[in-house]
Amino acid sequence: MSLRSLKLDYRSWIGIWILSLLLLWEGIAWILHMWMSPQQAASRLPYLHDVLAALVRYSGTLAEQGAVTFGNAAIGFAGGAMLGLMLALLMSAAVWLERTLSPYVISSQMIPIIGLAPIVYGIIHHAEWARIVMAAYVTFFPIVIHTLKGLKSAAPEHLELMRSCGASLPARYIKCLLPSALPGLFSGMKIAAPLAVTSSIVVELMGAPDGLGVLMVSSLYYGSAQVGMFWATIMLSIGIGLISYLVISLAERWLTPWQPEFRAKGGNAV
């Protein structure tokens, strides 16, 4: 069997898994509607086709509020990624810097998002900046950890060769250390991107004037009358996080083609 056919089979299995999940959703919703009143069943798990209908019906509102959430999350993600990259570069420059900064970087993540969000929102008193700060907060930690690991993975013999050739420190970083760190950087970004969206929504739940979190709260307030809107908001939030992950994955494939999983493989697989 060729590698191409294996890839097609793998994609087919993903499609089967997604289809099975959707059918399971419809089946559970059907069972709930058999044993409960329509309002009670819908409040627990509505039919998938009702959620999809709500996505279409409220597409304008969802797109507008989703853009607000995604925009703030993207700005915070970019800022957190830059901060994480700079911290990783500093920590890689000297062992004493890594030992000094590591406890602070790790301890900064001890506060849960749901506890920190109202504190940040209460201090800043600005919904947009609070969302950006929280998105940056959840972004920089995985960036630091994975980028630092990538910087340490550079081949010692390559660094020694560059030192023997008289290469400067910036040249060693540009030609050797940073390319080694790119896979780790992208791994951290793929983890952080969905978290940035989630943190922005958490801030919106605290009383922001707009965003997907506001739609969630308002739809919960109206109960079963807006259950479709609530689940449509959840689906859109998942979609935004998934798209962010896929975009970063495509950028990784384009910028780091030397990774083993991206190399073209010839021959046949048994």
Side-chain angles (χ1 to χ4, degrees), residues 255-269:
L255 293 173
T256 60
W258 62 83
Q259 294 192 70
E261 60 266 32
F262 300 147
R263 293 175 186 168
K265 298 180 177 66
N268 295 327

Side-chain angles (χ1 to χ4, degrees), residues 17 31-32 57 63 105 113 118 124 137 143 177 179 195 210 243 254 257:
W17 181 83
I31 293 172
L32 290 175
R57 188 182 313 118
V105 171
I113 298 175
I124 297 178
Y137 167 78
I143 297 293
L177 290 170
L195 291 176
D210 49 15
I243 291 172
W254 178 50

Side-chain angles (χ1 to χ4, degrees), residues 5 51 59 110 117 123 146 167 171 212-213:
S5 62
V51 176
S59 58
M110 296 298 104
I123 293 174
H146 288 273
L212 293 179

Side-chain angles (χ1 to χ4, degrees), residues 1-261:
M1 183 180 292
S2 66
L3 283 172
R4 183 175 180 81
S5 62
L6 282 174
K7 290 181 180 178
L8 290 175
D9 289 342
Y10 175 71
R11 293 169 186 170
S12 299
W13 276 112
I14 293 178
I16 292 172
W17 181 83
I18 294 175
L19 180 61
S20 300
L21 184 62
L22 298 180
L23 291 175
L24 179 63
W25 182 339
E26 284 284 272
I28 294 175
W30 178 73
I31 293 172
L32 290 175
H33 279 75
M34 284 184 61
W35 291 96
M36 301 177 182
S37 65
Q39 292 79 13
Q40 290 177 326
S43 64
R44 285 163 173 79
L45 185 66
Y47 283 116
L48 177 61
H49 63 265
D50 290 337
V51 176
L52 296 178
L55 272 171
V56 175
R57 188 182 313 118
Y58 303 112
S59 58
T61 301
L62 289 169
E64 180 182 356
Q65 301 304 316
V68 172
T69 299
F70 176 75
N72 290 310
I75 295 172
F77 172 79
M82 290 298 298
L83 175 62
L85 177 59
M86 288 188 295
L87 282 174
L89 292 174
L90 283 174
M91 293 167 71
S92 69
V95 175
W96 68 269
L97 272 175
E98 181 182 356
R99 292 176 179 174
T100 302
L101 295 176
S102 290
Y104 298 101
V105 171
I106 295 172
S107 61
S108 69
Q109 301 299 303
M110 296 298 104
I111 306 176
I113 298 175
I114 193 66
L116 185 61
I119 297 175
V120 172
Y121 189 41
I123 293 174
I124 297 178
H125 288 294
H126 192 285
E128 184 174 352
W129 278 107
R131 284 177 284 203
I132 292 173
V133 169
M134 284 302 303
Y137 167 78
V138 301
T139 296
F140 90 94
F141 180 74
I143 297 293
V144 170
I145 298 300
H146 288 273
T147 303
L148 184 60
K149 183 179 179 180
L151 289 167
K152 290 181 177 180
S153 69
E157 58 272 18
H158 294 168
L159 291 173
E160 186 61 33
L161 177 62
M162 295 191 73
R163 290 192 192 97
S164 64
C165 293
S168 63
L169 182 62
R172 293 200 297 269
Y173 268 94
I174 293 173
K175 296 181 179 297
C176 183
L177 290 170
L178 284 177
S180 299
L182 278 179
L185 173 62
F186 279 110
S187 295
M189 291 173 68
K190 287 189 287 187
I191 294 172
L195 291 176
V197 177
T198 302
S199 64
S200 295
I201 293 175
V202 170
V203 174
E204 292 165 357
L205 295 174
M206 304 301 163
D210 49 15
L212 293 179
V214 176
L215 288 183
M216 291 180 187
V217 173
S218 61
S219 58
L220 284 175
Y221 176 79
Y222 289 104
S224 60
Q226 289 292 326
V227 68
M229 168 66 91
F230 174 79
W231 282 90
T233 307
I234 297 294
M235 294 285 285
L236 180 59
S237 303
I238 295 173
I240 292 174
L242 181 60
I243 291 172
S244 303
Y245 179 91
L246 293 177
V247 169
I248 294 172
S249 297
L250 289 174
E252 179 186 19
R253 179 181 290 271
W254 178 50
L255 293 173
T256 60
W258 62 83
Q259 294 192 70
E261 60 266 32

